[in-house]
Amino acid sequence: MGVFSSLYDRIRYGGGGRGGHHVPKRRPITMRDRLLMSPFAKWNVYGKFPWKCLLHVLIVVLLVVQSLIVNNVVTGYMNTSQDTFKAVFLPDAAIENKMYYAKDVLEAVNNTVAQYYSFPEQAIDFYEYIYIDGGTEITPITLTIVSLCDDDDVLFDPNADRKNVKVHTQTKTYIQTEHSPLGPFNESVWQDQAFRVQRIQQQFVLRNINVNSFGPVQYIWSFSNIYDFWKSGGQVGIDFKADARVDSSSGLPPIVIFPILNCALILTALLSLILSSKHLFKNRQLYYEVKKRFECIPGKSMAQYPFQSWEAIPMRVKLKFFSYWNVFNIIGNICVIIAACLDLGENFGTLYIASYARQVLLGVAGAFSCFYLIRYLQYSQKCYMLIQVIEKS
């Protein structure tokens, strides 16, 4: 800040520097003090309350409260549910990623179908099927198979001419029901065709109600069970996913605390975003005013300045007019607003995005918000060196 402060003082006060001049305590705040003073010094001298600091503290508090509630109400339920579904719908060999034989895959696929049609009746918790068009027919499991085309037999024939061989894949979809659990396969057909298969995917859905301290919430769980045959030689890779979303047709009221927190986050982040954008705009005005005044200095007086022209001033000095912290704040506020809007839509069942995506976005927003609070330590003598290291890194 030394070169920058000296340069501004010479232009603003005619060459004496800030050491020989008294900064008047008056309103409106001077541009120099707006750029160099801490928020609390501005409050003390000009009575300008540090609203941005208050908003940032409030955003961090709201994010922490929401995270604690989510961890207490949602995360534990989601994690234990994931463990339950893996134990129920996947055999031990599939869970340990130790499947080497075609019959093991067939048994795993068959086991998933059998468990799907028996689990809701035998489970400790309350689970129910989703019926087609609200009728009595259970939504079946969808089986998708990606395999090599039949025309690619030459690929596996060592006596054929394979110089110009090309690999083509085909995708077929089948329905797995309680009476037809293997879809298009039986054991003999599967053993003959397994080497052609690239991927098998099973998809199905279930409903579940989670009763917690804030009220009951009904979720729809969407399951995807993928067997990847080309993941590694001679071994089948398993990727089991279970994603939950709030069931908007349940008739249950949303948990009130989450909409309140999300609306508060959106409002505070929006206000903080407006203030940061306004601050950047004022810094831009300040930049061009200093440039204009510098260019109006007579040529004979230029000798007393460290730079003889505006173009000669290093870019690192010019960038001091703009705060990097405001950029971090704007990015953080945008992330907060997006994450809160997505979560608000999820609470009312009108919008759905994978839960981990919301959590990542909310985590990024929290990181930026907490990181921005560090800027207020740069005005402390004890922390100044630390903040300078962070800024220059």
Side-chain angles (χ1 to χ4, degrees), residues 139-144 173-176 201-204 225:
T139 302
I141 296 178
T142 301
L143 178 70
T144 304
T173 302
Y174 305 92
I175 298 300
Q176 291 182 295
Q201 180 178 12
Q202 291 176 295
Q203 294 175 293
F204 52 98
N225 191 15

Side-chain angles (χ1 to χ4, degrees), residues 65-130:
V65 171
Q66 187 180 54
S67 299
L68 291 175
I69 295 176
V70 168
N71 183 68
N72 181 52
V73 175
V74 180
T75 304
Y77 164 74
M78 294 291 179
N79 290 339
T80 53
S81 295
Q82 293 273 358
D83 295 338
T84 299
F85 296 141
K86 285 184 179 180
V88 170
F89 294 115
L90 293 179
D92 293 339
I95 296 175
E96 298 174 2
N97 273 344
K98 294 181 179 180
M99 301 184 70
Y100 309 103
Y101 300 101
K103 65 180 182 64
D104 293 337
V105 179
L106 194 64
E107 291 175 358
V109 172
N110 191 20
N111 173 77
T112 300
V113 179
Q115 291 295 339
Y116 172 69
Y117 285 101
S118 62
F119 177 63
E121 297 178 357
Q122 302 176 7
I124 295 176
D125 205 350
F126 175 78
Y127 296 92
E128 65 174 344
Y129 301 109
I130 295 178

Side-chain angles (χ1 to χ4, degrees), residues 315-330:
M315 183 58 67
R316 61 181 176 81
V317 177
K318 295 178 182 178
L319 289 177
K320 293 292 184 179
F321 284 93
F322 305 94
S323 175
Y324 296 114
W325 296 103
N326 279 318
V327 177
F328 277 103
N329 183 43
I330 289 174

